[in-house]
Amino acid sequence: MSTPFPLSEDQLEPLLTITSKKQHQVETQELINKAWSKLAPFWPIKEFVGVNPLQGFIDKPIEEALVAAESFFQQEDIPEAMHAINRETIKWCQAFFDEGQAVINMPNRKLGLYQCWKRLAIWDKNLHGNNPKAINTIKNLPDDPQEIIIKILSNFHISQEDQELFLTLMLTTLPGWAAHVKYRSEHQHEYHPFKYKACQSDYLALRMVITEIVWSEAADLVQWHKDTTQKINRETKSINDIKQSESEYHTPLLKELSAPLPNNLNKTEVPDAQLVFCIDVRSDPIRKSIESLGNYETFGYAGFFGLPIAFQEPTDKEVRPSCPVIVQSEHVLKLDSEKKEGEKRKKLKNVIQLLKYNFTTSLAIVELLGAPAGLWMALQNFFPTSSSKIKHKITEPVKAKQHLTVKEMSIPFENQCIYAETALKTMGMTDNFAPLVIFCGHGSKTENNALASSLDCGACGGRSGIANAKVICQILNSPEVREKLKAKGIDIKESTLFVAGEHNTTTNEIQLFYSSDIDRQSQENIQTMKKQLELSKDLCNAGCMGLKDGDISFSSATKKALFKSSDWAQTRPEWGLAKNAALIVGPRSLTKNIELHGRSFLQSYEWKQDCDGELLESILKGPLNVAHWINSQYLFSSLDNVAYGSGSKVTKNITGKIGIIQGNGSDLMHGLPLQSVNEGDKTPYHRPCRLMSVIFAPHHLIEKVLQDSPEIRTLIKNGWVRLFCIDPIQQKTYKLDRKMQWRNIYT
C-alpha cells in the first residue's frame, strides 16, 4: 500500500484554520445553549400552555432550585442601566413578534430578528442618541450573531469562567421575551410556524449590542449577581409555605384513599349511561353530580382522548394541534361545514379589523358602525346574560353544522384501532358497555378574557376538546373498528352508541353532538340524558359556589354562573384549575365516595389490564407530566405573581396578539394573572402544593415502569413531585421517598 504524500505547511494551514473555526463555533453554540437552558418556553396566549417556569432548574433539588431561581428571576433591584437596556429591547421585540395588532408592520422581518434589527437600528435615535461611536458600532455589525456575541464578551473583558453567567443574565433580566423566543425556536409546531426567523443567537446578539451601546460597564452585572445571590436566605420562605400546605392536604386524603374498597367492585349491572371526562380537576364536581342522579358510570381520561391529531377549521386555513405539546401531531383532519356562514363571518371580521386600525378609515368606521356598536356595548354592560343568549342564537346554528366523518379524518384504520383499544383498556372500559357512552371534551366560555385559552383543555393545547371527542366517537361507532376490538377481547354491543359532548366549565352545561339518523331507542336515551345533564348542571353549580339547600335555589346558582360567563367586566369568571394538588390514577371506585373538593386530576386506570406496565408508562410520561406543568404554573404564580405570573388583569395590556404586558412596555408576562390565584389583592385562593401523585397498582409494577422513565425519576428524586402507591395486592399504602425507596405508610 502506498503512503499518501504529506501536506506542506502552506496546504495544512488553511485546513487547520477551518477546523479551528468550526471548533470555535461548536464551543460558542454550547455556551449559548447553556445560557438558554435556565429558561422555560412561553406559549402565546392563543394556545396558552401551563409550564413549570423553573423547568431549567429541574435537575436540582427543589430547595436549591428555588434559591437559584430567586437569584435570577426575583431580583427587583437590577442596575438602572439594565432597565434602559430592557426598554430598548422590548420595543423591538413588540414590533418584530407582532401577529396582526400593529397598524404598520415592521419591514424586513423575513430576514430574521437580528438581520432585520441590524438594518433598522441605525435610525433609532433613542438608542444611539446620535453618538458617532454608537452609530459606527451598529454600521459595522457582522452578519453572524455568534460572532458579535463573542466579540462583545471580549470587549467587556468577561472571563471565560463568567461568560455563561453573563449570557444567562442577558436573558434572565428580561425573562418573558426570552422565554417567548425559546418557544419560537424550539417548540412551535410545523403547522402554523411564525413566519420570521427568531433563533436564540439572534435575540442574544440583539441584547448584547444594545447593552454595549447603553452600558459600557456592563461587566459589573456579573458582580452584582454574585453579591445579590449571597444575600438570599438559603432556607427560603417559599419551600416552608409549600410544605405547610402539603401537610394539611396529603395526610387526610391518603387516609381516605387507603380505606378498604367496597366489596362490589365486580359490578355486573349495566349502567344506563357511561360518561368519559377529561382528567381536569373541574371534571370531578360534575362527575359526582351526574353519578348522584342515577345508574351512571363516569371515567377520567386525558381530554385529547389519546389522539395525536391536529385540525384545519373551515373558516381559515390554519392548522391547530389538539393534543398535549409534548405529543407530536401525526394526523391532520379537516373540520367540514355544510354551509359557509362561518367563513363569511371570518372574512367580515377581518375586514372590520383592517378598517378599524387603518389611519385613513378608522374615523369612517366609527361613523358607520358607531350606533349599532354602542347599542351592543350597552346591552353587554347592563344585560350580559341576554346579550350572550342573542349571540349564542346567531352563532350556534353555524357551529352545529360542523361535522367529521371517518373518511375525512385520514387516520389509517390500524391507527384507529390502536387508539380505541388503548383508551378503553387504560380506563378499564372493556365490557359491560352502556347503551349510551358519552366522550365529553371541555372548554370555557367567557367574555373579554385575553387568557381564555388558559381555561380550556391543556391536553388539547389550550383549546376545547370537542373535536377530539367527535373523532374518538366516530372511531368507536365504526363497525369495522368494533370487529377488530372484539378480536382483542373488547366486545362492544351493537346497540351501544358513542356520542360526543362538550362540558362548558364556566356554566357546567354539557352539550351533546350526534347524528340525526340514529335509531329511535338511542334518540330516547339521549333525550333522557339531556334532562339529567340539566339537573346535574344546577346541582354542580350550587356545590361549586358553596351553596346549600335553603340558601339559594339550584337554578339561581346556574343563573349566577351564566352571568359570570357572559359579563365582560368579570376578572374571575371561573377559578379554572386553582387549588389543584393531586393526580389520582386508578378506578373510579377509589374516589367515588370521597369528597375531593375539585382539587384532583382523575385518571381512570385498571392495572389488571396492564400486565407489562405499558399503559401506566404512558400515563406517567403524559398526564403526570402535563399535570406537573399545570400544578407548577399555579404554584409559582401564587408564590410570586410578578416574577412568575402576569400581574393584575386590571392593568394589563395585550401586545402583538401574543402575550400580556403591564402598562405599555413591560416584560412579557408569562404566567397566570393575580385574579386566577388570589381572592383579593392580598388574599390567596390557590394553596401552593407540589403535585401529589397517587397510583392504585402494585408497587412492583410502578417500580418497573419507573426504571424506564428517567425524567419521572428525576422529578421524584428532586422533590418536584410526590409519589404514593396504594397496593391492591398487599393492601398497603407506600410512599416513594427521594432516595427512591418505598416506605409503608398505612397497612
Side-chain angles (χ1 to χ4, degrees):
M1 179 182 290
S2 60
T3 303
F5 191 78
L7 296 174
S8 66
E9 290 186 8
D10 291 342
Q11 292 173 315
L12 188 59
E13 185 175 354
L15 292 177
L16 291 175
T17 301
I18 293 172
T19 303
S20 176
K21 186 176 180 180
K22 287 184 177 180
Q23 180 63 30
H24 185 65
Q25 289 174 338
V26 170
E27 292 173 355
T28 301
Q29 189 59 54
E30 288 179 355
L31 183 65
I32 292 170
N33 291 343
K34 288 179 180 178
W36 279 96
S37 68
K38 299 293 190 296
L39 290 158
F42 167 63
W43 272 256
I45 55 175
K46 66 181 178 182
E47 47 185 1
F48 195 90
V49 172
V51 178
N52 180 357
L54 270 60
Q55 190 67 25
F57 300 88
I58 208 79
D59 59 334
K60 298 178 181 291
I62 188 170
E63 297 84 359
E64 293 180 20
L66 285 166
V67 174
E70 183 177 345
S71 70
F72 283 109
F73 301 127
Q74 293 176 269
Q75 295 300 324
E76 298 178 0
D77 59 338
I78 65 173
E80 186 58 36
M82 283 307 303
H83 288 297
I85 293 165
N86 288 346
R87 285 193 293 270
E88 294 301 318
T89 306
I90 288 168
K91 71 182 184 185
W92 286 104
C93 286
Q94 285 178 315
F96 183 83
F97 290 107
D98 176 80
E99 292 191 348
Q101 187 172 339
V103 178
I104 300 177
N105 293 328
M106 185 178 183
N108 297 322
R109 286 198 288 175
K110 63 183 179 181
L111 300 175
L113 176 60
Y114 175 68
Q115 295 293 344
C116 174
W117 172 82
K118 187 163 74 82
R119 284 161 173 75
L120 296 173
I122 194 69
W123 308 104
D124 186 358
K125 294 181 181 179
N126 195 62
L127 173 61
H128 55 64
N130 287 326
N131 184 311
K133 182 179 178 181
I135 294 173
N136 191 56
T137 297
I138 296 172
K139 283 183 176 179
N140 295 301
L141 288 173
D143 288 335
D144 184 358
Q146 287 192 5
E147 186 179 335
I148 192 62
I149 291 171
I150 295 302
K151 181 181 178 181
I152 294 177
L153 285 173
S154 176
N155 292 348
F156 284 151
H157 304 292
I158 307 295
S159 66
Q160 190 168 358
E161 64 179 11
D162 286 335
Q163 286 183 357
E164 180 187 334
L165 175 58
F166 185 82
L167 293 182
T168 302
L169 291 171
M170 285 288 99
L171 303 174
T172 59
T173 48
L174 194 66
W177 283 105
H180 186 65
V181 172
K182 184 159 187 173
Y183 157 75
R184 290 294 181 195
S185 57
E186 292 184 2
H187 293 276
Q188 66 174 351
H189 50 75
E190 60 184 292
Y191 301 119
H192 59 92
F194 187 59
K195 297 178 182 178
Y196 313 110
K197 178 185 173 185
C199 67
Q200 296 171 354
S201 296
D202 277 14
Y203 177 79
L204 202 47
L206 180 150
R207 285 281 281 171
M208 296 281 280
V209 176
I210 292 176
T211 300
E212 186 177 41
I213 293 171
V214 173
W215 189 19
S216 60
E217 304 298 327
D220 294 345
L221 190 63
V222 172
Q223 192 58 49
W224 164 82
H225 175 78
K226 292 179 179 179
D227 291 342
T228 53
T229 301
Q230 292 298 321
K231 300 175 185 177
I232 296 175
N233 183 358
R234 308 302 295 181
E235 180 65 26
T236 65
K237 181 176 179 293
S238 299
I239 193 65
N240 294 329
D241 291 342
I242 293 169
K243 289 178 179 178
Q244 176 64 29
S245 297
E246 291 171 347
S247 65
E248 296 172 0
Y249 176 72
H250 286 186
T251 302
L253 178 60
L254 277 174
K255 282 185 177 180
E256 290 194 89
L257 291 174
S258 300
L261 292 177
N263 294 323
N264 60 340
L265 291 183
N266 298 319
K267 188 174 70 170
T268 57
E269 182 183 1
V270 177
D272 292 335
Q274 294 165 312
L275 298 95
V276 181
F277 286 86
C278 180
I279 66 173
D280 190 289
V281 300
R282 292 166 291 180
S283 297
D284 171 48
I286 192 70
R287 289 176 63 180
K288 192 172 288 291
S289 298
I290 292 170
E291 290 167 342
S292 70
L293 295 175
N295 182 25
Y296 302 119
E297 188 176 18
T298 69
F299 299 82
Y301 196 70
F304 76 118
F305 302 122
L307 302 172
I309 55 179
F311 291 97
Q312 185 175 33
E313 305 224 15
T315 54
D316 56 41
K317 295 182 179 180
E318 188 175 359
V319 177
R320 299 173 175 86
S322 193
C323 55
V325 295
I326 59 175
V327 174
Q328 180 65 41
S329 302
E330 296 180 14
H331 317 283
V332 179
L333 289 67
K334 289 186 178 181
L335 279 169
D336 185 31
S337 61
E338 295 176 0
K339 295 185 178 181
K340 300 298 182 181
E341 286 92 339
E343 187 174 350
K344 292 176 182 177
R345 282 203 336 272
K346 180 81 174 178
K347 290 179 179 178
L348 179 60
K349 183 178 178 181
N350 290 339
V351 170
I352 292 175
Q353 179 166 315
L354 179 65
L355 296 173
K356 179 180 176 182
Y357 289 111
N358 190 280
F359 284 127
T360 58
T361 58
S362 56
L363 293 177
I365 198 70
V366 171
E367 293 292 334
L368 181 64
L369 299 178
L375 289 172
W376 180 247
M377 287 176 62
L379 186 63
Q380 285 183 298
N381 272 320
F382 301 111
F383 306 100
T385 304
S386 298
S387 68
S388 177
K389 290 179 179 179
I390 293 172
K391 183 178 179 181
H392 180 81
K393 287 182 178 180
I394 295 173
T395 60
E396 200 56 33
V398 176
K399 293 180 181 179
K401 294 293 183 181
Q402 291 184 352
H403 63 281
L404 289 170
T405 66
V406 172
K407 192 175 292 184
E408 290 167 333
M409 285 194 300
S410 67
I411 299 178
F413 176 72
E414 288 301 320
N415 292 79
Q416 292 183 39
C417 296
I418 291 171
Y419 300 148
E421 180 186 1
T422 301
L424 296 176
K425 279 191 173 181
T426 300
M427 294 185 290
M429 189 190 285
T430 56
D431 56 13
N432 226 35
F433 287 93
L436 179 64
V437 182
I438 299 172
F439 272 78
C440 206
H442 70 93
S444 172
K445 302 296 187 295
T446 57
E447 293 290 336
N448 191 32
N449 187 1
L451 291 171
S453 62
S454 70
L455 300 176
D456 284 338
C457 183
C460 296
R463 299 181 179 87
S464 170
I466 179 56
N468 293 66
K470 289 180 179 179
V471 174
I472 193 68
C473 289
Q474 288 275 344
I475 291 173
L476 290 168
N477 282 328
S478 165
E480 293 80 10
V481 171
R482 292 190 183 191
E483 191 65 29
K484 190 80 171 180
L485 291 175
K486 188 175 182 179
K488 299 276 187 174
I490 303 174
D491 190 2
I492 302 174
K493 303 171 187 175
E494 188 177 343
S495 59
T496 294
L497 177 69
F498 290 86
V499 170
E502 182 179 33
H503 173 210
N504 179 349
T505 55
T506 315
T507 64
N508 283 306
E509 177 186 11
I510 295 177
Q511 185 177 3
L512 302 182
F513 298 82
Y514 52 93
S515 173
S516 58
D517 59 356
I518 57 177
D519 62 83
R520 184 175 178 179
Q521 183 59 56
S522 294
Q523 289 180 6
E524 291 178 0
N525 292 339
I526 289 174
Q527 294 308 313
T528 300
M529 194 69 230
K530 281 184 174 182
K531 293 177 182 177
Q532 296 291 68
L533 292 177
E534 279 295 307
L535 291 174
S536 68
K537 175 182 68 175
D538 294 341
L539 184 61
C540 184
N541 285 330
C544 289
M545 294 182 183
L547 306 174
K548 297 179 181 179
D549 289 330
D551 294 336
I552 188 172
S553 68
F554 288 166
S555 60
S556 295
T558 292
K559 288 179 181 178
K560 186 174 181 180
L562 181 59
F563 177 85
K564 293 183 75 173
S565 72
S566 308
D567 183 10
W568 66 351
Q570 281 291 330
T571 55
R572 296 179 180 88
E574 67 155 279
W575 280 112
L577 293 94
K579 291 192 175 181
N580 75 84
L583 167 68
I584 302 175
V585 180
R588 179 55 172 162
S589 54
L590 187 68
T591 57
K592 187 173 182 179
N593 298 318
I594 298 175
E595 179 51 65
L596 298 172
H597 303 288
R599 301 189 66 182
S600 300
F601 299 92
L602 298 177
Q603 169 69 58
S604 294
Y605 172 69
E606 290 287 349
W607 65 273
K608 291 181 180 179
Q609 303 271 1
D610 190 26
C611 298
D612 57 3
E614 186 177 340
L615 299 176
L616 181 58
E617 182 178 1
S618 68
I619 291 172
L620 295 186
K621 291 183 177 180
L624 186 143
N625 246 323
V626 172
H628 161 65
W629 279 14
I630 293 171
N631 171 266
S632 297
Q633 185 174 61
Y634 272 86
L635 187 156
F636 290 110
S637 292
S638 62
L639 289 180
D640 189 333
N641 197 251
V642 174
Y644 304 123
S646 59
S648 175
K649 287 183 176 181
V650 178
T651 54
K652 67 151 176 59
N653 278 308
I654 300 172
T655 182
K657 294 187 177 181
I658 59 171
I660 300 298
I661 59 174
Q662 289 293 330
N664 66 350
S666 79
D667 189 13
L668 200 62
M669 309 297 280
H670 52 287
L672 295 161
L674 184 72
Q675 288 79 5
S676 291
V677 293
N678 275 21
E679 288 184 276
D681 289 346
K682 297 182 179 179
T683 308
Y685 179 80
H686 178 74
R687 300 300 303 276
C689 294
R690 290 167 288 182
L691 183 71
M692 171 192 188
S693 183
V694 184
I695 303 174
F696 185 82
H699 76 278
H700 66 81
L701 180 64
I702 302 173
E703 180 64 34
K704 176 180 180 295
V705 172
L706 288 175
Q707 292 298 328
D708 299 324
S709 308
E711 301 89 353
I712 305 302
R713 290 176 64 87
T714 297
L715 291 177
I716 297 168
K717 289 174 69 174
N718 289 335
W720 295 91
V721 169
R722 315 288 294 279
L723 185 66
F724 299 85
C725 161
I726 299 177
D727 193 318
I729 297 178
Q730 299 185 3
Q731 295 186 350
K732 294 180 179 180
T733 299
Y734 295 93
K735 174 185 177 182
L736 186 61
D737 65 25
R738 291 169 68 167
K739 294 180 180 180
M740 304 306 288
Q741 300 294 320
W742 293 99
R743 291 195 295 109
N744 179 218
I745 303 177
Y746 304 115
T747 300

